[in-house]
Amino acid sequence: MITKNFQLNSLANQFAAAVYDSVRQQNGGDWFPMNVGSTRIEVAITDGVNGIRDLVDSWALEAMKNTFHAHEWESIGIQYLKRCIGADGLTDTGREAWASMINDMGDSLDAGGFNEKH
């Protein structure tokens, strides 16, 4: 867990659950597609919602923490995640946030030479 802020943790959990539900509905299982360069891979989700929450911490909250001032990043995260989830699950902003996270993961793998090894 990257923060002890109760509201941010709650919203991050809700976002992770909404992403997990969306991914399962869209793909029919616990996996999501990712492009690494020109290669499409399928990434297995381990540990359900908790696995997605780990990705939210690593690829969204950590980026905010490293980008914004120490006293600002949590309030920015709260405002952002509020726009990502709604009564029916992910909002358009939430889907865009998840897609951006997947793209960042794929770009990181590509920069790390994934395609050269496979």
Side-chain angles (χ1 to χ4, degrees):
M1 185 174 351
I2 194 168
T3 180
K4 294 181 182 184
N5 181 296
F6 177 80
Q7 186 177 14
L8 182 55
N9 267 322
S10 177
L11 289 166
N13 287 337
Q14 290 173 51
F15 177 64
V19 166
Y20 182 69
D21 288 343
S22 176
V23 165
R24 290 195 54 173
Q25 288 175 3
Q26 186 175 9
N27 301 318
D30 287 7
W31 64 275
F32 58 89
M34 177 190 306
N35 292 323
V36 181
S38 61
T39 304
R40 182 181 184 272
I41 64 172
E42 294 179 355
V43 179
I45 300 170
T46 57
D47 204 20
V49 173
N50 291 330
I52 297 293
R53 174 60 199 266
D54 288 343
L55 294 175
V56 170
D57 283 352
S58 299
W59 293 94
L61 298 183
E62 185 73 30
M64 286 182 216
K65 186 175 183 180
N66 291 333
T67 302
F68 300 104
H69 295 290
H71 62 282
E72 295 176 333
W73 81 270
E74 289 174 322
S75 61
I76 291 168
I78 288 167
Q79 295 308 311
Y80 183 66
L81 288 176
K82 281 181 177 180
R83 294 187 353 234
C84 290
I85 48 179
D88 297 328
L90 289 178
T91 62
D92 288 343
T93 301
R95 283 185 281 283
E96 290 171 11
W98 175 242
S100 179
M101 289 171 54
I102 291 172
N103 289 336
D104 288 349
M105 287 182 257
D107 290 347
S108 291
L109 285 173
D110 190 38
F114 175 84
N115 280 327
E116 297 169 11
K117 298 173 187 169
H118 292 89

PDB file of all heavy atoms in Angstrom, residues 34-43 104-118:
ATOM      1  N   MET A  34      -2.082  -6.665 -23.845  1.00  0.00           N
ATOM      2  CA  MET A  34      -1.130  -5.565 -23.803  1.00  0.00           C
ATOM      3  C   MET A  34      -0.249  -5.647 -25.042  1.00  0.00           C
ATOM      4  O   MET A  34       0.135  -6.743 -25.451  1.00  0.00           O
ATOM      5  CB  MET A  34      -0.256  -5.665 -22.552  1.00  0.00           C
ATOM      6  CG  MET A  34       0.819  -4.602 -22.447  1.00  0.00           C
ATOM      7  SD  MET A  34       2.017  -4.912 -21.124  1.00  0.00           S
ATOM      8  CE  MET A  34       0.985  -5.112 -19.712  1.00  0.00           C
ATOM      9  N   ASN A  35       0.034  -4.509 -25.622  1.00  0.00           N
ATOM     10  CA  ASN A  35       0.972  -4.460 -26.738  1.00  0.00           C
ATOM     11  C   ASN A  35       2.344  -4.085 -26.219  1.00  0.00           C
ATOM     12  O   ASN A  35       2.496  -3.096 -25.505  1.00  0.00           O
ATOM     13  CB  ASN A  35       0.519  -3.447 -27.790  1.00  0.00           C
ATOM     14  CG  ASN A  35      -0.738  -3.897 -28.491  1.00  0.00           C
ATOM     15  OD1 ASN A  35      -0.921  -5.076 -28.759  1.00  0.00           O
ATOM     16  ND2 ASN A  35      -1.616  -2.961 -28.777  1.00  0.00           N
ATOM     17  N   VAL A  36       3.316  -4.915 -26.593  1.00  0.00           N
ATOM     18  CA  VAL A  36       4.713  -4.640 -26.275  1.00  0.00           C
ATOM     19  C   VAL A  36       5.406  -4.484 -27.618  1.00  0.00           C
ATOM     20  O   VAL A  36       5.671  -5.477 -28.300  1.00  0.00           O
ATOM     21  CB  VAL A  36       5.349  -5.775 -25.449  1.00  0.00           C
ATOM     22  CG1 VAL A  36       6.791  -5.447 -25.124  1.00  0.00           C
ATOM     23  CG2 VAL A  36       4.545  -6.035 -24.176  1.00  0.00           C
ATOM     24  N   GLY A  37       5.603  -3.236 -28.004  1.00  0.00           N
ATOM     25  CA  GLY A  37       6.073  -2.987 -29.363  1.00  0.00           C
ATOM     26  C   GLY A  37       5.009  -3.462 -30.329  1.00  0.00           C
ATOM     27  O   GLY A  37       3.848  -3.096 -30.225  1.00  0.00           O
ATOM     28  N   SER A  38       5.386  -4.336 -31.232  1.00  0.00           N
ATOM     29  CA  SER A  38       4.425  -4.854 -32.205  1.00  0.00           C
ATOM     30  C   SER A  38       3.842  -6.207 -31.782  1.00  0.00           C
ATOM     31  O   SER A  38       3.065  -6.800 -32.512  1.00  0.00           O
ATOM     32  CB  SER A  38       5.106  -4.998 -33.573  1.00  0.00           C
ATOM     33  OG  SER A  38       6.190  -5.913 -33.476  1.00  0.00           O
ATOM     34  N   THR A  39       4.187  -6.654 -30.597  1.00  0.00           N
ATOM     35  CA  THR A  39       3.718  -7.952 -30.106  1.00  0.00           C
ATOM     36  C   THR A  39       2.562  -7.768 -29.140  1.00  0.00           C
ATOM     37  O   THR A  39       2.639  -6.971 -28.205  1.00  0.00           O
ATOM     38  CB  THR A  39       4.861  -8.699 -29.385  1.00  0.00           C
ATOM     39  OG1 THR A  39       5.960  -8.825 -30.277  1.00  0.00           O
ATOM     40  CG2 THR A  39       4.409 -10.057 -28.908  1.00  0.00           C
ATOM     41  N   ARG A  40       1.489  -8.512 -29.357  1.00  0.00           N
ATOM     42  CA  ARG A  40       0.357  -8.494 -28.425  1.00  0.00           C
ATOM     43  C   ARG A  40       0.531  -9.670 -27.473  1.00  0.00           C
ATOM     44  O   ARG A  40       0.748 -10.803 -27.904  1.00  0.00           O
ATOM     45  CB  ARG A  40      -0.960  -8.645 -29.176  1.00  0.00           C
ATOM     46  CG  ARG A  40      -2.174  -8.584 -28.262  1.00  0.00           C
ATOM     47  CD  ARG A  40      -3.457  -8.757 -29.085  1.00  0.00           C
ATOM     48  NE  ARG A  40      -4.637  -8.615 -28.302  1.00  0.00           N
ATOM     49  CZ  ARG A  40      -5.244  -9.610 -27.638  1.00  0.00           C
ATOM     50  NH1 ARG A  40      -4.752 -10.824 -27.680  1.00  0.00           N
ATOM     51  NH2 ARG A  40      -6.336  -9.379 -26.947  1.00  0.00           N
ATOM     52  N   ILE A  41       0.472  -9.378 -26.175  1.00  0.00           N
ATOM     53  CA  ILE A  41       0.559 -10.434 -25.175  1.00  0.00           C
ATOM     54  C   ILE A  41      -0.705 -10.413 -24.324  1.00  0.00           C
ATOM     55  O   ILE A  41      -1.437  -9.420 -24.309  1.00  0.00           O
ATOM     56  CB  ILE A  41       1.815 -10.300 -24.281  1.00  0.00           C
ATOM     57  CG1 ILE A  41       1.778  -9.010 -23.445  1.00  0.00           C
ATOM     58  CG2 ILE A  41       3.086 -10.390 -25.129  1.00  0.00           C
ATOM     59  CD1 ILE A  41       2.886  -8.917 -22.412  1.00  0.00           C
ATOM     60  N   GLU A  42      -0.954 -11.497 -23.643  1.00  0.00           N
ATOM     61  CA  GLU A  42      -2.059 -11.576 -22.698  1.00  0.00           C
ATOM     62  C   GLU A  42      -1.462 -11.702 -21.308  1.00  0.00           C
ATOM     63  O   GLU A  42      -0.685 -12.622 -21.038  1.00  0.00           O
ATOM     64  CB  GLU A  42      -2.961 -12.765 -23.034  1.00  0.00           C
ATOM     65  CG  GLU A  42      -3.670 -12.581 -24.360  1.00  0.00           C
ATOM     66  CD  GLU A  42      -4.553 -13.750 -24.753  1.00  0.00           C
ATOM     67  OE1 GLU A  42      -4.555 -14.780 -24.041  1.00  0.00           O
ATOM     68  OE2 GLU A  42      -5.243 -13.631 -25.789  1.00  0.00           O
ATOM     69  N   VAL A  43      -1.829 -10.774 -20.452  1.00  0.00           N
ATOM     70  CA  VAL A  43      -1.287 -10.714 -19.103  1.00  0.00           C
ATOM     71  C   VAL A  43      -2.298 -11.325 -18.133  1.00  0.00           C
ATOM     72  O   VAL A  43      -3.438 -10.860 -18.044  1.00  0.00           O
ATOM     73  CB  VAL A  43      -0.984  -9.250 -18.701  1.00  0.00           C
ATOM     74  CG1 VAL A  43      -0.442  -9.181 -17.284  1.00  0.00           C
ATOM     75  CG2 VAL A  43      -0.030  -8.609 -19.693  1.00  0.00           C
ATOM     76  N   ASP A 104       1.610   2.240 -20.670  1.00  0.00           N
ATOM     77  CA  ASP A 104       2.869   2.510 -19.967  1.00  0.00           C
ATOM     78  C   ASP A 104       3.599   1.213 -19.637  1.00  0.00           C
ATOM     79  O   ASP A 104       4.824   1.125 -19.780  1.00  0.00           O
ATOM     80  CB  ASP A 104       2.618   3.303 -18.685  1.00  0.00           C
ATOM     81  CG  ASP A 104       2.225   4.747 -18.928  1.00  0.00           C
ATOM     82  OD1 ASP A 104       2.341   5.221 -20.084  1.00  0.00           O
ATOM     83  OD2 ASP A 104       1.783   5.405 -17.959  1.00  0.00           O
ATOM     84  N   MET A 105       2.852   0.198 -19.198  1.00  0.00           N
ATOM     85  CA  MET A 105       3.474  -1.099 -18.899  1.00  0.00           C
ATOM     86  C   MET A 105       4.087  -1.699 -20.161  1.00  0.00           C
ATOM     87  O   MET A 105       5.221  -2.187 -20.142  1.00  0.00           O
ATOM     88  CB  MET A 105       2.446  -2.057 -18.298  1.00  0.00           C
ATOM     89  CG  MET A 105       2.046  -1.740 -16.885  1.00  0.00           C
ATOM     90  SD  MET A 105       0.871  -2.961 -16.226  1.00  0.00           S
ATOM     91  CE  MET A 105      -0.650  -2.050 -16.353  1.00  0.00           C
ATOM     92  N   GLY A 106       3.338  -1.666 -21.245  1.00  0.00           N
ATOM     93  CA  GLY A 106       3.829  -2.209 -22.513  1.00  0.00           C
ATOM     94  C   GLY A 106       5.053  -1.467 -23.006  1.00  0.00           C
ATOM     95  O   GLY A 106       6.021  -2.080 -23.473  1.00  0.00           O
ATOM     96  N   ASP A 107       5.030  -0.132 -22.896  1.00  0.00           N
ATOM     97  CA  ASP A 107       6.177   0.672 -23.314  1.00  0.00           C
ATOM     98  C   ASP A 107       7.409   0.358 -22.465  1.00  0.00           C
ATOM     99  O   ASP A 107       8.532   0.297 -22.978  1.00  0.00           O
ATOM    100  CB  ASP A 107       5.857   2.165 -23.228  1.00  0.00           C
ATOM    101  CG  ASP A 107       4.851   2.616 -24.276  1.00  0.00           C
ATOM    102  OD1 ASP A 107       4.577   1.860 -25.236  1.00  0.00           O
ATOM    103  OD2 ASP A 107       4.329   3.747 -24.116  1.00  0.00           O
ATOM    104  N   SER A 108       7.205   0.145 -21.171  1.00  0.00           N
ATOM    105  CA  SER A 108       8.327  -0.195 -20.289  1.00  0.00           C
ATOM    106  C   SER A 108       8.923  -1.551 -20.653  1.00  0.00           C
ATOM    107  O   SER A 108      10.142  -1.719 -20.662  1.00  0.00           O
ATOM    108  CB  SER A 108       7.885  -0.201 -18.822  1.00  0.00           C
ATOM    109  OG  SER A 108       7.588   1.106 -18.400  1.00  0.00           O
ATOM    110  N   LEU A 109       8.059  -2.500 -20.948  1.00  0.00           N
ATOM    111  CA  LEU A 109       8.557  -3.816 -21.363  1.00  0.00           C
ATOM    112  C   LEU A 109       9.295  -3.715 -22.695  1.00  0.00           C
ATOM    113  O   LEU A 109      10.347  -4.338 -22.887  1.00  0.00           O
ATOM    114  CB  LEU A 109       7.410  -4.817 -21.478  1.00  0.00           C
ATOM    115  CG  LEU A 109       6.840  -5.330 -20.177  1.00  0.00           C
ATOM    116  CD1 LEU A 109       5.598  -6.173 -20.436  1.00  0.00           C
ATOM    117  CD2 LEU A 109       7.880  -6.148 -19.425  1.00  0.00           C
ATOM    118  N   ASP A 110       8.756  -2.934 -23.608  1.00  0.00           N
ATOM    119  CA  ASP A 110       9.393  -2.768 -24.914  1.00  0.00           C
ATOM    120  C   ASP A 110      10.764  -2.113 -24.760  1.00  0.00           C
ATOM    121  O   ASP A 110      11.741  -2.548 -25.375  1.00  0.00           O
ATOM    122  CB  ASP A 110       8.492  -1.931 -25.827  1.00  0.00           C
ATOM    123  CG  ASP A 110       8.969  -1.909 -27.262  1.00  0.00           C
ATOM    124  OD1 ASP A 110       9.457  -2.953 -27.751  1.00  0.00           O
ATOM    125  OD2 ASP A 110       8.860  -0.849 -27.896  1.00  0.00           O
ATOM    126  N   ALA A 111      10.854  -1.099 -23.920  1.00  0.00           N
ATOM    127  CA  ALA A 111      12.127  -0.413 -23.698  1.00  0.00           C
ATOM    128  C   ALA A 111      13.135  -1.332 -23.011  1.00  0.00           C
ATOM    129  O   ALA A 111      14.340  -1.170 -23.169  1.00  0.00           O
ATOM    130  CB  ALA A 111      11.912   0.845 -22.862  1.00  0.00           C
ATOM    131  N   GLY A 112      12.622  -2.310 -22.271  1.00  0.00           N
ATOM    132  CA  GLY A 112      13.494  -3.259 -21.577  1.00  0.00           C
ATOM    133  C   GLY A 112      13.933  -4.420 -22.435  1.00  0.00           C
ATOM    134  O   GLY A 112      14.567  -5.357 -21.954  1.00  0.00           O
ATOM    135  N   GLY A 113      13.587  -4.410 -23.714  1.00  0.00           N
ATOM    136  CA  GLY A 113      14.046  -5.456 -24.620  1.00  0.00           C
ATOM    137  C   GLY A 113      13.194  -6.698 -24.660  1.00  0.00           C
ATOM    138  O   GLY A 113      13.644  -7.756 -25.101  1.00  0.00           O
ATOM    139  N   PHE A 114      11.919  -6.605 -24.241  1.00  0.00           N
ATOM    140  CA  PHE A 114      11.043  -7.776 -24.237  1.00  0.00           C
ATOM    141  C   PHE A 114      10.995  -8.447 -25.608  1.00  0.00           C
ATOM    142  O   PHE A 114      11.128  -9.645 -25.719  1.00  0.00           O
ATOM    143  CB  PHE A 114       9.626  -7.379 -23.797  1.00  0.00           C
ATOM    144  CG  PHE A 114       8.628  -8.487 -23.871  1.00  0.00           C
ATOM    145  CD1 PHE A 114       8.495  -9.398 -22.833  1.00  0.00           C
ATOM    146  CD2 PHE A 114       7.825  -8.664 -24.996  1.00  0.00           C
ATOM    147  CE1 PHE A 114       7.579 -10.430 -22.898  1.00  0.00           C
ATOM    148  CE2 PHE A 114       6.908  -9.702 -25.069  1.00  0.00           C
ATOM    149  CZ  PHE A 114       6.790 -10.584 -24.026  1.00  0.00           C
ATOM    150  N   ASN A 115      10.809  -7.674 -26.658  1.00  0.00           N
ATOM    151  CA  ASN A 115      10.670  -8.245 -28.008  1.00  0.00           C
ATOM    152  C   ASN A 115      11.939  -8.907 -28.493  1.00  0.00           C
ATOM    153  O   ASN A 115      11.903  -9.802 -29.332  1.00  0.00           O
ATOM    154  CB  ASN A 115      10.208  -7.182 -29.011  1.00  0.00           C
ATOM    155  CG  ASN A 115       8.720  -6.940 -28.919  1.00  0.00           C
ATOM    156  OD1 ASN A 115       7.956  -7.865 -28.630  1.00  0.00           O
ATOM    157  ND2 ASN A 115       8.294  -5.717 -29.136  1.00  0.00           N
ATOM    158  N   GLU A 116      13.088  -8.477 -27.989  1.00  0.00           N
ATOM    159  CA  GLU A 116      14.351  -9.092 -28.381  1.00  0.00           C
ATOM    160  C   GLU A 116      14.496 -10.483 -27.799  1.00  0.00           C
ATOM    161  O   GLU A 116      15.218 -11.304 -28.328  1.00  0.00           O
ATOM    162  CB  GLU A 116      15.509  -8.214 -27.924  1.00  0.00           C
ATOM    163  CG  GLU A 116      15.516  -6.839 -28.585  1.00  0.00           C
ATOM    164  CD  GLU A 116      16.506  -5.895 -27.926  1.00  0.00           C
ATOM    165  OE1 GLU A 116      17.334  -6.347 -27.105  1.00  0.00           O
ATOM    166  OE2 GLU A 116      16.446  -4.695 -28.231  1.00  0.00           O
ATOM    167  N   LYS A 117      13.802 -10.750 -26.705  1.00  0.00           N
ATOM    168  CA  LYS A 117      13.938 -12.030 -26.002  1.00  0.00           C
ATOM    169  C   LYS A 117      12.867 -13.035 -26.413  1.00  0.00           C
ATOM    170  O   LYS A 117      12.965 -14.199 -26.100  1.00  0.00           O
ATOM    171  CB  LYS A 117      13.890 -11.794 -24.492  1.00  0.00           C
ATOM    172  CG  LYS A 117      15.009 -10.931 -24.011  1.00  0.00           C
ATOM    173  CD  LYS A 117      14.830 -10.592 -22.536  1.00  0.00           C
ATOM    174  CE  LYS A 117      15.877  -9.576 -22.102  1.00  0.00           C
ATOM    175  NZ  LYS A 117      15.613  -9.024 -20.807  1.00  0.00           N
ATOM    176  N   HIS A 118      11.803 -12.564 -27.051  1.00  0.00           N
ATOM    177  CA  HIS A 118      10.696 -13.454 -27.401  1.00  0.00           C
ATOM    178  C   HIS A 118      10.424 -13.475 -28.877  1.00  0.00           C
ATOM    179  O   HIS A 118      10.703 -12.637 -29.604  1.00  0.00           O
ATOM    180  CB  HIS A 118       9.425 -13.034 -26.651  1.00  0.00           C
ATOM    181  CG  HIS A 118       9.531 -13.253 -25.179  1.00  0.00           C
ATOM    182  ND1 HIS A 118      10.041 -12.297 -24.347  1.00  0.00           N
ATOM    183  CD2 HIS A 118       9.239 -14.318 -24.405  1.00  0.00           C
ATOM    184  CE1 HIS A 118      10.024 -12.757 -23.109  1.00  0.00           C
ATOM    185  NE2 HIS A 118       9.549 -13.968 -23.115  1.00  0.00           N
TER     186      HIS A 118
END
